[in-house]
Amino acid sequence: MDYAGLVRASKRLDPAATSQKIKIALLSDAATQQFVPLLRTLFHRKGVLASLYEAPFDGIELETINALSGLYRFQPDLIFILNSVQALRASFAKRTADAQAFAEEKTRGIVKIWDAIQSHSTATVVQSNFVMPYERYFGNFDLKVAGSFSSVVASINAAVGERARSRTGVLLNDVESVASWVGRRHWFDDRLWDLAKAFCTLDHMPVLAQNMVDIALATRGRVAKCVVLDLDNTLWGGVIGDDGVDGIVLNAHGDGEAFYRLQIYLKELLQRGILLAVCSKNEMSNALLPFEKHPDMVLKRSDITVFLANWSDKAENIRKARDILNIGLDSMVFLDDNPFERNLVRGVLPEVIVPELPEDPADYVRAISELNLFETTTFSKEDVNRTELYRAEAERRDAQASFANADEFLRSLEMRMLVARFDSFHLPRIAQLIQRSNQFNLTTHRYSEADCEALMNDGEVLPLYAKLSDRLGDHGLIGVIVLVAENDELVIRDWLMSCRVLARGVEQTLMNMVVDEARKRKLSKVRGEYRKTAKNQMVEDFFARFGFIQTGGDQNDALWTLSVSDYQFKETFISPAAELVAAE
């Protein structure tokens, strides 16, 4: 993360080493040219080829209100707006109204920029907040004075955050948090600002650039979904098999507080939808004891979605956990105090994220937090219930073992499915599924929440979501299909599903509905596309299974066509399974 090193590396990047592309626009009232090589290098390290557009210096308003500007001709995926407190300070010094009116005017101006962008582009807006100034004109009394510069900056930050909270297609770049971590005395370089209008000191630009990359990758589905935990000397001090429940180190105060603090941190991650798994070299009976009997355990057995305690190596157990959860290895974070185990997993499973934990457990939470491993761009009701969803799935697997065949089991589930047009209530989950689904995803188009809202309001498009439930619980929103009629064809623009519901008959039921919709519209064909990625090979024969014939492209980007009259409707055990609720 050295500035000079990243700049040098930017001159030797190999585009062939990337598998994805992204277009980023930078708008700022500070200089942005220092960020460009950093962003290119950091994206490249993640296998992404970044094309960058720099708006003219301090040209935020002119670029965004002009429909013919270079910004809109560039057609970016994301637009980063970097507002500097240095420029705000100069504007504040020239204010003609009181401080509160100034703050309100600046907030309105920022929102106006969002409105301008969203009237001309579907790009996701990533708005920075302001770094708090270092000067305190009233000393410790500063924040009690409504008219102080510190109070104004804090007020604008709070107002911008509140406005963004209710705005689809707008994310926040918490620059203030990044600068606070570094320390404001080290963040600012006033001489460099005077000479080159640099946003901050060069030494710390890589930290902010990495923060921007984290946000961008999260919009592309690069998110952590599960934390895999070691137990001894990670969740508690000591070895449970040797020390027993009374001998391990874990308490709210004193020597065991470091482990207690880590468990609090993990519990909060659980509450926001991150799954927790255990991979421990232990006897199962010993591994469970603290969860069942230790009074200071914050995490309970019910918080752990997959619990593996045996004498297999950690890499093998992580593979087992991955198979049970049906998620990608690159969405798993492995925490273990033992350097040997960490290096083993890095060597055998390089896709897994393995932080280098410090020797002192007191620093665990700080070290993990500093890496910003759990960046996200969405949060929905289903995130809160994620552990319960996976636990219900485990019950289904156990129940299946008691049936003679799969059909009997599926019939016993009493599955019910709702298919409906996108609506405002479900937009956050719809966008989340689109951004995160990789394996069962025919085209891997990534739509922001604003993109989904545009589809919802487009009368020429039929954007559908599917929800599934059964007698053992609710799967939630598990599928998205986007259809559009073109000439004599119903085109499947997008089709993606959660892998949690595979082998349930969901795809058969949905294809029945799609073909029935084509018949209702008196269309003779259904056409779809499969775009191969590194992760979606499981659906490369998806269309062939339903009788589609390949009519164009190649194995990496294939077009498939079905004659509606030739389609054989598939029997499933899902009700209703006859028509689209949203087809009215």
Side-chain angles (χ1 to χ4, degrees):
M1 293 294 287
D2 169 67
Y3 177 84
L6 289 172
V7 171
R8 287 193 298 271
S10 71
K11 300 173 182 178
R12 304 188 300 272
L13 302 180
D14 178 12
T18 59
S19 59
Q20 294 185 30
K21 296 181 180 180
I22 196 167
K23 298 175 75 174
I24 302 289
L26 301 175
L27 284 71
S28 182
D29 51 20
T32 57
Q33 61 265 34
Q34 299 98 340
F35 284 105
V36 171
L38 308 183
L39 291 170
R40 286 197 176 121
T41 303
L42 293 171
F43 273 116
H44 190 272
R45 288 180 176 180
K46 297 294 185 178
V48 178
L49 181 63
S51 299
L52 291 121
Y53 172 80
E54 289 184 83
F57 168 73
D58 202 16
I60 298 174
E61 186 171 4
L62 288 176
E63 284 281 298
T64 54
I65 64 175
N66 179 8
L68 301 178
S69 69
L71 171 68
Y72 299 126
R73 291 198 303 273
F74 179 67
Q75 296 183 327
D77 300 308
L78 290 96
I79 299 173
F80 280 89
I81 302 176
L82 291 168
N83 289 117
S84 68
V85 74
Q86 298 95 318
L88 185 68
R89 180 192 293 117
S91 180
F92 183 71
K94 298 176 183 177
R95 67 191 183 280
T96 56
D98 63 31
Q100 182 177 354
F102 175 85
E104 292 172 353
E105 180 185 357
K106 286 297 177 184
T107 302
R108 284 195 300 271
I110 290 171
V111 174
K112 181 181 176 182
I113 296 300
W114 303 347
D115 291 336
I117 291 173
Q118 294 187 327
S119 67
H120 299 301
S121 172
T122 59
T124 298
V125 178
V126 186
Q127 173 69 53
S128 77
N129 55 12
F130 291 94
V131 177
M132 290 296 292
Y134 54 72
E135 60 266 59
R136 299 189 299 171
Y137 299 112
F138 296 87
N140 288 290
F141 199 68
D142 216 50
L143 289 178
K144 291 198 69 173
V145 179
S148 74
F149 187 44
S150 294
S151 293
V152 166
V153 175
S155 177
I156 294 173
N157 282 348
V160 167
E162 184 177 354
R163 299 292 183 89
R165 198 172 298 137
S166 59
R167 176 73 70 105
T168 59
V170 176
L171 302 174
L172 292 178
N173 180 11
D174 192 0
V175 181
E176 158 57 18
S177 178
V178 176
S180 294
W181 182 263
V182 169
R184 289 197 290 274
R185 65 180 296 190
H186 302 293
W187 180 259
F188 294 106
D189 188 330
D190 291 326
R191 172 60 62 186
L192 197 57
W193 171 263
D194 296 341
L195 294 175
K197 293 297 179 282
F199 191 84
C200 63
T201 180
L202 295 180
D203 289 344
H204 298 303
M205 277 189 184
V207 182
L208 179 53
Q210 183 62 61
N211 200 60
M212 295 162 69
V213 170
D214 292 343
I215 296 169
L217 293 180
T219 68
R220 295 301 184 93
R222 300 276 197 95
V223 294
K225 299 179 181 178
C226 176
V227 180
V228 183
L229 300 162
D230 173 51
L231 296 180
D232 294 331
N233 292 310
T234 301
L235 278 194
W236 53 73
V239 178
I240 184 63
D242 297 334
D243 303 324
V245 172
D246 296 333
I248 62 173
V249 180
L250 175 66
N251 44 55
H253 305 284
D255 292 342
E257 188 170 358
F259 303 103
Y260 187 82
R261 180 165 57 251
L262 175 62
Q263 291 197 30
I264 291 174
Y265 176 76
L266 294 167
K267 186 81 169 186
E268 289 301 318
L269 289 178
L270 178 72
Q271 297 298 327
R272 56 141 288 193
I274 301 295
L275 300 172
L276 300 182
V278 162
C279 286
S280 173
K281 286 185 176 179
N282 252 312
E283 296 294 341
M284 179 64 81
S285 57
N286 286 333
L288 289 172
L289 281 174
F291 291 89
E292 297 170 344
K293 297 185 176 181
H294 199 288
D296 288 323
M297 279 291 290
V298 178
L299 296 176
K300 306 302 180 186
R301 173 62 186 90
S302 58
D303 295 325
I304 309 301
T305 307
V306 177
F307 203 115
L308 299 172
N310 51 48
W311 299 104
S312 300
D313 71 63
K314 296 293 180 75
E316 181 180 341
N317 274 333
I318 290 174
R319 283 198 190 97
K320 289 180 181 177
R322 184 273 312 271
D323 292 342
I324 293 170
L325 297 172
N326 208 352
I327 60 177
L329 287 170
D330 59 354
S331 65
M332 303 178 82
V333 178
F334 176 55
L335 301 182
D336 196 309
D337 70 293
N338 190 325
F340 172 83
E341 301 290 2
R342 295 197 299 266
N343 289 325
L344 170 71
V345 173
R346 289 190 188 111
V348 179
L349 304 174
E351 305 97 323
V352 175
I353 303 165
V354 186
E356 190 64 13
L357 291 183
E359 290 187 13
D360 189 342
D363 295 327
Y364 282 178
V365 174
R366 176 199 57 75
I368 299 166
S369 298
E370 188 175 7
L371 294 174
N372 192 33
L373 300 175
F374 304 100
E375 185 68 53
T376 187
T377 60
T378 57
F379 182 70
S380 66
K381 180 182 177 181
E382 288 189 23
D383 288 319
V384 179
N385 300 322
R386 192 170 302 279
T387 298
E388 186 57 40
L389 290 174
Y390 278 87
R391 186 177 298 111
E393 182 59 26
E395 289 183 25
R396 293 183 187 95
R397 286 195 300 271
D398 292 340
Q400 185 172 4
S402 64
F403 287 86
N405 57 60
D407 284 356
E408 286 186 15
F409 168 66
L410 293 176
R411 187 179 290 108
S412 76
L413 287 177
E414 301 172 8
M415 291 180 285
R416 300 171 300 281
M417 187 161 68
L418 167 71
V419 182
R421 188 181 182 92
F422 286 10
D423 56 57
S424 298
F425 179 79
H426 291 97
L427 279 182
R429 171 57 181 161
I430 291 168
Q432 183 182 71
L433 188 62
I434 290 173
Q435 291 166 12
R436 296 186 179 185
S437 294
N438 293 304
Q439 297 180 83
F440 198 114
N441 194 329
L442 293 173
T443 56
T444 319
H445 295 145
R446 301 300 189 191
Y447 298 139
S448 67
E449 193 170 332
D451 294 329
C452 294
E453 185 175 33
L455 289 172
M456 178 182 72
N457 295 324
D458 188 341
E460 300 299 315
V461 180
L462 183 58
L464 304 168
Y465 68 83
K467 299 177 73 174
L468 184 71
S469 61
D470 59 41
R471 64 178 176 81
L472 294 176
D474 193 343
H475 291 275
L477 196 151
I478 48 82
V480 170
I481 301 176
V482 179
L483 304 172
V484 61
E486 293 181 2
N487 301 319
D488 193 33
E489 298 178 326
L490 185 62
V491 178
I492 302 170
R493 185 185 296 179
D494 297 281
W495 187 317
L496 55 104
M497 286 171 31
S498 168
C499 291
R500 287 187 286 110
V501 295
L502 294 181
R504 299 282 193 276
V506 173
E507 54 266 50
Q508 290 87 352
T509 301
L510 291 173
M511 186 61 80
N512 287 348
M513 292 180 173
V514 169
V515 175
D516 191 55
E517 180 69 13
R519 286 183 173 178
K520 287 180 180 178
R521 295 176 180 235
K522 295 182 169 45
L523 303 174
S524 65
K525 296 178 182 178
V526 176
R527 175 161 53 88
E529 181 181 10
Y530 167 69
R531 291 186 178 181
K532 186 176 182 178
T533 70
K535 296 184 177 181
N536 72 349
Q537 289 93 332
M538 67 154 41
V539 290
E540 62 184 353
D541 65 342
F542 174 78
F543 289 114
R545 297 200 303 264
F546 290 99
F548 284 67
I549 303 299
Q550 186 172 347
T551 53
D554 53 32
Q555 62 179 0
N556 294 318
D557 191 353
L559 296 177
W560 295 81
T561 303
L562 171 76
S563 173
V564 170
S565 61
D566 294 340
Y567 180 72
Q568 300 295 317
F569 280 80
K570 312 291 183 181
E571 180 184 1
T572 71
F573 300 102
I574 298 175
S575 177
E579 60 182 316
L580 294 170
V581 174
E584 299 298 330

PDB file of all heavy atoms in Angstrom, residues 465-481:
ATOM      1  N   TYR A 465     -39.568 -11.193  -9.576  1.00  0.00           N
ATOM      2  CA  TYR A 465     -38.867 -11.867  -8.484  1.00  0.00           C
ATOM      3  C   TYR A 465     -39.687 -13.077  -8.053  1.00  0.00           C
ATOM      4  O   TYR A 465     -40.905 -13.122  -8.259  1.00  0.00           O
ATOM      5  CB  TYR A 465     -38.630 -10.932  -7.295  1.00  0.00           C
ATOM      6  CG  TYR A 465     -39.879 -10.501  -6.557  1.00  0.00           C
ATOM      7  CD1 TYR A 465     -40.456 -11.311  -5.569  1.00  0.00           C
ATOM      8  CD2 TYR A 465     -40.485  -9.273  -6.834  1.00  0.00           C
ATOM      9  CE1 TYR A 465     -41.595 -10.915  -4.894  1.00  0.00           C
ATOM     10  CE2 TYR A 465     -41.623  -8.870  -6.152  1.00  0.00           C
ATOM     11  CZ  TYR A 465     -42.181  -9.695  -5.192  1.00  0.00           C
ATOM     12  OH  TYR A 465     -43.315  -9.307  -4.520  1.00  0.00           O
ATOM     13  N   ALA A 466     -38.997 -14.062  -7.487  1.00  0.00           N
ATOM     14  CA  ALA A 466     -39.671 -15.273  -7.007  1.00  0.00           C
ATOM     15  C   ALA A 466     -39.340 -15.493  -5.542  1.00  0.00           C
ATOM     16  O   ALA A 466     -38.191 -15.330  -5.120  1.00  0.00           O
ATOM     17  CB  ALA A 466     -39.230 -16.484  -7.824  1.00  0.00           C
ATOM     18  N   LYS A 467     -40.356 -15.841  -4.748  1.00  0.00           N
ATOM     19  CA  LYS A 467     -40.187 -16.170  -3.335  1.00  0.00           C
ATOM     20  C   LYS A 467     -40.694 -17.589  -3.115  1.00  0.00           C
ATOM     21  O   LYS A 467     -41.706 -17.996  -3.698  1.00  0.00           O
ATOM     22  CB  LYS A 467     -40.955 -15.186  -2.445  1.00  0.00           C
ATOM     23  CG  LYS A 467     -40.516 -13.751  -2.585  1.00  0.00           C
ATOM     24  CD  LYS A 467     -41.367 -12.810  -1.744  1.00  0.00           C
ATOM     25  CE  LYS A 467     -41.048 -12.936  -0.271  1.00  0.00           C
ATOM     26  NZ  LYS A 467     -41.771 -11.926   0.541  1.00  0.00           N
ATOM     27  N   LEU A 468     -39.991 -18.325  -2.262  1.00  0.00           N
ATOM     28  CA  LEU A 468     -40.340 -19.724  -2.016  1.00  0.00           C
ATOM     29  C   LEU A 468     -40.460 -19.972  -0.519  1.00  0.00           C
ATOM     30  O   LEU A 468     -39.659 -19.465   0.270  1.00  0.00           O
ATOM     31  CB  LEU A 468     -39.270 -20.645  -2.609  1.00  0.00           C
ATOM     32  CG  LEU A 468     -39.539 -22.152  -2.525  1.00  0.00           C
ATOM     33  CD1 LEU A 468     -40.669 -22.538  -3.473  1.00  0.00           C
ATOM     34  CD2 LEU A 468     -38.272 -22.932  -2.851  1.00  0.00           C
ATOM     35  N   SER A 469     -41.452 -20.750  -0.141  1.00  0.00           N
ATOM     36  CA  SER A 469     -41.596 -21.174   1.254  1.00  0.00           C
ATOM     37  C   SER A 469     -42.084 -22.617   1.266  1.00  0.00           C
ATOM     38  O   SER A 469     -42.578 -23.144   0.267  1.00  0.00           O
ATOM     39  CB  SER A 469     -42.581 -20.266   2.005  1.00  0.00           C
ATOM     40  OG  SER A 469     -43.867 -20.329   1.404  1.00  0.00           O
ATOM     41  N   ASP A 470     -41.944 -23.268   2.414  1.00  0.00           N
ATOM     42  CA  ASP A 470     -42.457 -24.629   2.575  1.00  0.00           C
ATOM     43  C   ASP A 470     -42.809 -24.841   4.041  1.00  0.00           C
ATOM     44  O   ASP A 470     -42.700 -23.926   4.859  1.00  0.00           O
ATOM     45  CB  ASP A 470     -41.463 -25.673   2.054  1.00  0.00           C
ATOM     46  CG  ASP A 470     -40.110 -25.613   2.748  1.00  0.00           C
ATOM     47  OD1 ASP A 470     -40.076 -25.426   3.977  1.00  0.00           O
ATOM     48  OD2 ASP A 470     -39.072 -25.759   2.070  1.00  0.00           O
ATOM     49  N   ARG A 471     -43.202 -26.049   4.382  1.00  0.00           N
ATOM     50  CA  ARG A 471     -43.680 -26.308   5.746  1.00  0.00           C
ATOM     51  C   ARG A 471     -42.585 -26.152   6.797  1.00  0.00           C
ATOM     52  O   ARG A 471     -42.880 -26.003   7.985  1.00  0.00           O
ATOM     53  CB  ARG A 471     -44.291 -27.704   5.830  1.00  0.00           C
ATOM     54  CG  ARG A 471     -43.313 -28.847   5.581  1.00  0.00           C
ATOM     55  CD  ARG A 471     -43.973 -30.209   5.724  1.00  0.00           C
ATOM     56  NE  ARG A 471     -43.066 -31.303   5.406  1.00  0.00           N
ATOM     57  CZ  ARG A 471     -42.161 -31.790   6.251  1.00  0.00           C
ATOM     58  NH1 ARG A 471     -42.048 -31.286   7.472  1.00  0.00           N
ATOM     59  NH2 ARG A 471     -41.375 -32.782   5.883  1.00  0.00           N
ATOM     60  N   LEU A 472     -41.313 -26.184   6.378  1.00  0.00           N
ATOM     61  CA  LEU A 472     -40.207 -26.060   7.323  1.00  0.00           C
ATOM     62  C   LEU A 472     -39.696 -24.626   7.468  1.00  0.00           C
ATOM     63  O   LEU A 472     -38.864 -24.355   8.324  1.00  0.00           O
ATOM     64  CB  LEU A 472     -39.050 -26.967   6.897  1.00  0.00           C
ATOM     65  CG  LEU A 472     -39.330 -28.471   6.956  1.00  0.00           C
ATOM     66  CD1 LEU A 472     -38.141 -29.249   6.417  1.00  0.00           C
ATOM     67  CD2 LEU A 472     -39.652 -28.905   8.373  1.00  0.00           C
ATOM     68  N   GLY A 473     -40.199 -23.735   6.642  1.00  0.00           N
ATOM     69  CA  GLY A 473     -39.751 -22.352   6.773  1.00  0.00           C
ATOM     70  C   GLY A 473     -39.836 -21.597   5.464  1.00  0.00           C
ATOM     71  O   GLY A 473     -40.271 -22.118   4.430  1.00  0.00           O
ATOM     72  N   ASP A 474     -39.394 -20.341   5.511  1.00  0.00           N
ATOM     73  CA  ASP A 474     -39.449 -19.444   4.368  1.00  0.00           C
ATOM     74  C   ASP A 474     -38.059 -19.302   3.771  1.00  0.00           C
ATOM     75  O   ASP A 474     -37.107 -18.942   4.461  1.00  0.00           O
ATOM     76  CB  ASP A 474     -39.980 -18.078   4.812  1.00  0.00           C
ATOM     77  CG  ASP A 474     -40.356 -17.190   3.650  1.00  0.00           C
ATOM     78  OD1 ASP A 474     -39.922 -17.474   2.511  1.00  0.00           O
ATOM     79  OD2 ASP A 474     -41.069 -16.194   3.868  1.00  0.00           O
ATOM     80  N   HIS A 475     -37.905 -19.579   2.484  1.00  0.00           N
ATOM     81  CA  HIS A 475     -36.623 -19.376   1.806  1.00  0.00           C
ATOM     82  C   HIS A 475     -36.391 -17.903   1.485  1.00  0.00           C
ATOM     83  O   HIS A 475     -35.274 -17.502   1.175  1.00  0.00           O
ATOM     84  CB  HIS A 475     -36.586 -20.162   0.492  1.00  0.00           C
ATOM     85  CG  HIS A 475     -36.530 -21.643   0.668  1.00  0.00           C
ATOM     86  ND1 HIS A 475     -35.351 -22.329   0.864  1.00  0.00           N
ATOM     87  CD2 HIS A 475     -37.512 -22.585   0.660  1.00  0.00           C
ATOM     88  CE1 HIS A 475     -35.604 -23.623   0.962  1.00  0.00           C
ATOM     89  NE2 HIS A 475     -36.905 -23.808   0.852  1.00  0.00           N
ATOM     90  N   GLY A 476     -37.455 -17.110   1.484  1.00  0.00           N
ATOM     91  CA  GLY A 476     -37.342 -15.706   1.116  1.00  0.00           C
ATOM     92  C   GLY A 476     -37.290 -15.526  -0.386  1.00  0.00           C
ATOM     93  O   GLY A 476     -37.715 -16.375  -1.170  1.00  0.00           O
ATOM     94  N   LEU A 477     -36.752 -14.397  -0.807  1.00  0.00           N
ATOM     95  CA  LEU A 477     -36.654 -14.070  -2.230  1.00  0.00           C
ATOM     96  C   LEU A 477     -35.465 -14.824  -2.819  1.00  0.00           C
ATOM     97  O   LEU A 477     -34.321 -14.604  -2.421  1.00  0.00           O
ATOM     98  CB  LEU A 477     -36.498 -12.554  -2.403  1.00  0.00           C
ATOM     99  CG  LEU A 477     -36.762 -11.980  -3.787  1.00  0.00           C
ATOM    100  CD1 LEU A 477     -37.255 -10.546  -3.676  1.00  0.00           C
ATOM    101  CD2 LEU A 477     -35.507 -12.016  -4.652  1.00  0.00           C
ATOM    102  N   ILE A 478     -35.748 -15.723  -3.767  1.00  0.00           N
ATOM    103  CA  ILE A 478     -34.704 -16.656  -4.205  1.00  0.00           C
ATOM    104  C   ILE A 478     -34.402 -16.589  -5.700  1.00  0.00           C
ATOM    105  O   ILE A 478     -33.506 -17.299  -6.171  1.00  0.00           O
ATOM    106  CB  ILE A 478     -35.079 -18.099  -3.827  1.00  0.00           C
ATOM    107  CG1 ILE A 478     -36.530 -18.436  -4.228  1.00  0.00           C
ATOM    108  CG2 ILE A 478     -34.899 -18.312  -2.346  1.00  0.00           C
ATOM    109  CD1 ILE A 478     -36.735 -18.820  -5.665  1.00  0.00           C
ATOM    110  N   GLY A 479     -35.111 -15.768  -6.453  1.00  0.00           N
ATOM    111  CA  GLY A 479     -34.868 -15.744  -7.891  1.00  0.00           C
ATOM    112  C   GLY A 479     -35.274 -14.439  -8.532  1.00  0.00           C
ATOM    113  O   GLY A 479     -36.154 -13.732  -8.029  1.00  0.00           O
ATOM    114  N   VAL A 480     -34.624 -14.111  -9.639  1.00  0.00           N
ATOM    115  CA  VAL A 480     -34.943 -12.923 -10.417  1.00  0.00           C
ATOM    116  C   VAL A 480     -34.904 -13.294 -11.898  1.00  0.00           C
ATOM    117  O   VAL A 480     -33.962 -13.952 -12.360  1.00  0.00           O
ATOM    118  CB  VAL A 480     -33.944 -11.778 -10.150  1.00  0.00           C
ATOM    119  CG1 VAL A 480     -34.155 -10.636 -11.152  1.00  0.00           C
ATOM    120  CG2 VAL A 480     -34.078 -11.251  -8.734  1.00  0.00           C
ATOM    121  N   ILE A 481     -35.941 -12.897 -12.627  1.00  0.00           N
ATOM    122  CA  ILE A 481     -35.990 -13.072 -14.078  1.00  0.00           C
ATOM    123  C   ILE A 481     -36.417 -11.742 -14.694  1.00  0.00           C
ATOM    124  O   ILE A 481     -37.379 -11.122 -14.218  1.00  0.00           O
ATOM    125  CB  ILE A 481     -36.980 -14.171 -14.496  1.00  0.00           C
ATOM    126  CG1 ILE A 481     -36.596 -15.510 -13.878  1.00  0.00           C
ATOM    127  CG2 ILE A 481     -37.048 -14.296 -16.020  1.00  0.00           C
ATOM    128  CD1 ILE A 481     -37.587 -16.631 -14.182  1.00  0.00           C
TER     129      ILE A 481
END
